[in-house]
Amino acid sequence: MEYMLLLFSDPTGFAALTPAQTSEALAAYGAYGEALRKAGVLRHSSRLRPATTATTVRLQSGKTEVLNGPFADTREQLGGYYLIDVPDLDAALSWAARCPGASHGAVEVRPLWPATDY
């Protein structure tokens, strides 16, 4: 079953790191990605650019509205994701707990709808 691990964190936290701390953090994410690859469960992953670069599109009363920046004003923002394929939720939760993002933010674990179900 496929699960999306959605990484949420305070974007100011990473920016406040020293160069050495930044290197250490990036190495931790690199090691985590390598562990997912070696286990054969990683489908895809990516780091997202800051929410300030986002554009939000809505349809209101038949008219398209385009807003610069994120819609939600929250302290934690979606910063990246891992798409994994594991046997069950317990396995997905185990991988989420190992993610470096869980130590300084939150990792939301969400199952994907199989294409055959819709």
Side-chain angles (χ1 to χ4, degrees), residues 15 23 45 51 53-54 75 85 90 97 102-103 109 111:
S23 293
S45 70
T53 66
R75 195 183 70 129
D85 189 358
D90 288 337
S103 68
V109 178

Side-chain angles (χ1 to χ4, degrees), residues 2-112:
E2 290 183 320
Y3 290 87
M4 185 76 75
L5 307 182
L6 301 164
L7 285 61
F8 292 88
S9 64
D10 181 343
T12 61
F14 201 80
L17 297 178
T18 66
Q21 290 170 320
T22 299
S23 293
E24 187 177 312
L26 293 175
Y29 279 102
Y32 178 69
E34 185 60 26
L36 289 166
R37 279 187 284 288
K38 283 184 178 178
V41 300
L42 182 64
R43 292 293 176 119
H44 193 266
S45 70
S46 192
R47 182 177 174 195
L48 300 175
R49 294 203 181 265
T52 55
T53 66
T55 303
T56 301
V57 177
R58 293 174 160 213
L59 192 60
Q60 295 283 344
S61 302
K63 294 183 180 181
T64 302
E65 291 183 5
V66 178
L67 306 168
N68 291 325
F71 175 70
D73 185 22
T74 61
R75 195 183 70 129
E76 290 186 336
Q77 298 175 1
L78 178 62
Y81 68 90
Y82 291 92
L83 175 60
I84 61 173
D85 189 358
V86 293
D88 54 35
L89 178 59
D90 288 337
L93 293 174
S94 176
W95 279 109
R98 292 175 58 184
C99 180
S103 68
H104 61 266
V107 178
E108 179 180 331
V109 178
R110 192 181 298 187
L112 276 65

